Amino acid sequence: MTSVKQIQVTFDCAEPERVARFWSEVLGYEHQGTAAVDPTGVGPRLYFQRVPEGKVVKNRVHLDVRAGTGLVGAERVAALEAECARLIPLGAVRLHLLEADDDNESCLVMQDIEGNEFCLD
């Protein structure tokens, strides 16, 4: 039996090269046309394919950009806000902060340049 060693995450979008460039900058990946590739080879390849229809509803799957790993409370929120400030000039949109509760630490909900939700976590 063969086990899978790598995955690729594929996104439907209107402008594949533009979205690939955005995510390459967000993640520090290499921009390769319609793909964003982890230069270390550890993270998944992100592939962006053109589709004719636009986004209609909230995505069922989203990326979490791990900007506050290991941090809690105000220190975590400050790290998330700092990363948010870096991403806004790239075209990201800040939606709202989900504050910590009994089960989860704070995370910041954002959208990429085509309106797909992602979290700074």
Side-chain angles (χ1 to χ4, degrees):
M1 180 185 215
T2 306
S3 64
V4 175
K5 301 294 183 205
Q6 293 184 333
I7 65 164
Q8 169 175 286
V9 180
T10 302
F11 296 83
D12 292 347
C13 59
E15 298 181 62
E17 287 196 37
R18 180 174 176 244
V19 181
R21 189 176 311 107
F22 170 83
W23 280 105
S24 294
E25 291 182 39
V26 169
L27 300 173
Y29 275 27
E30 293 174 2
H31 177 222
Q32 296 180 357
T34 59
V37 179
D38 182 353
T40 68
V42 175
R45 179 179 191 259
L46 306 181
Y47 177 70
F48 303 89
Q49 64 184 7
R50 184 180 318 277
V51 296
E53 67 277 357
K55 182 177 178 289
V56 182
V57 297
K58 183 179 183 293
N59 358 332
R60 300 271 317 241
V61 175
H62 67 269
L63 296 180
D64 283 347
V65 178
R66 307 300 308 273
T69 303
L71 302 176
V72 297
E75 187 178 18
R76 179 182 179 86
V77 172
L80 300 179
E81 293 290 0
E83 183 65 2
C84 176
R86 182 183 79 84
L87 300 183
I88 288 174
L90 302 177
V93 174
R94 183 187 195 282
L95 295 181
H96 58 275
L97 177 69
L98 294 174
E99 296 191 26
D101 60 25
D102 292 336
D103 297 319
N104 300 296
E105 287 295 332
S106 297
C107 74
L108 217 163
V109 181
M110 300 189 72
Q111 288 179 328
D112 73 9
I113 57 175
E114 286 202 359
N116 299 300
E117 295 85 4
F118 69 96
C119 292
L120 295 181
D121 179 29

